[in-house]
């Protein structure tokens, strides 16, 4: 009996059952698809920006941690508006100066030694002639290799 009683309440007269595939209308579905496409494009753009940021950070770190002038100059050329450019340009100048000083180090040692040997002869016969030889030798660019220190020694000898 109880089953019949419930059946009365669950069956409605005059209503035809229909099958619903979706609760979303076709217009709503098109709008959702557009939003999905926009979202995917935004996600791709974010991923691209993350990759570019990684590349930038890697390049910056390489430029900051190297003494290779070309790597630093490449970074400066690629990111000319970067806030680190001034510091990196100063680093390039310092490296170039150091290389220039190291380039002249050997010739500077030689001229210093020659100058000291010349000073030991001061007051002896032929000192003036030795001074002239010193000046002639070290004034020549092939010997001084553009070293300012060598030229300073040449000036010192001229004043002897």
């Amino acid at each position: 009996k109880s089953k019949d009683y419930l059946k009365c309440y669950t069956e409605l007269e005059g209503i035809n059952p229909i099958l619903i595939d979706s609760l979303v209308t076709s217009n709503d579905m098109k709008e959702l698809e557009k939003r999905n496409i926009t979202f995917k494009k935004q996600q791709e753009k974010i991923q691209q920006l993350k990759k570019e940021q990684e590349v930038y950070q890697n390049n910056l770190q390489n430029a900051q941690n190297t003494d290779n002038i070309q790597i630093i100059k490449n970074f400066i050329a690629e990111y000319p508006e970067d806030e680190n450019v001034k510091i990196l340009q100063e680093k390039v100048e310092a490296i170039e100066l150091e290389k220039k000083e190291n380039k002249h180090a050997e010739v500077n040692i030689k001229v210093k030694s020659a100058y000291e040997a010349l000073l030991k002869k001061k007051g002896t016969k032929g000192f003036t002639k030795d001074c002239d030889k010193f000046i002639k030798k070290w004034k020549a660019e092939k010997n001084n290799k553009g070293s300012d220190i060598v030229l300073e020694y040449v000036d010192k000898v001229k004043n002897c």
Side-chain angles (χ1 to χ4, degrees), residues 51-64:
K51 286 180 185 177
E52 289 173 7
Q53 184 65 21
E54 276 182 37
V55 169
Y56 162 78
Q57 287 296 334
N58 189 29
N59 288 345
L60 175 61
Q61 199 170 24
N62 287 341
Q64 290 173 330

Side-chain angles (χ1 to χ4, degrees), residues 144-157:
N144 69 37
K145 308 220 188 287
S147 170
D148 292 333
I149 293 174
V150 172
L151 297 177
E152 287 175 19
Y153 278 111
V154 170
D155 288 338
K156 285 181 183 180
V157 171

Side-chain angles (χ1 to χ4, degrees), residues 1-8:
K1 261 183 163 182
S2 64
K3 286 186 181 180
D4 290 335
Y5 175 74
L6 290 173
K7 195 172 187 182
C8 289

Side-chain angles (χ1 to χ4, degrees), residues 48-66 71-72 75-76 78-79 82-84 88:
Q48 181 64 29
L49 289 173
K50 283 182 180 180
K51 286 180 185 177
E52 289 173 7
Q53 184 65 21
E54 276 182 37
V55 169
Y56 162 78
Q57 287 296 334
N58 189 29
N59 288 345
L60 175 61
Q61 199 170 24
N62 287 341
Q64 290 173 330
N65 296 332
T66 188
I71 291 173
I72 299 170
F75 179 87
I76 292 170
E78 191 170 344
Y79 306 100
D82 191 86
E83 61 189 22
N84 297 293
L88 291 172

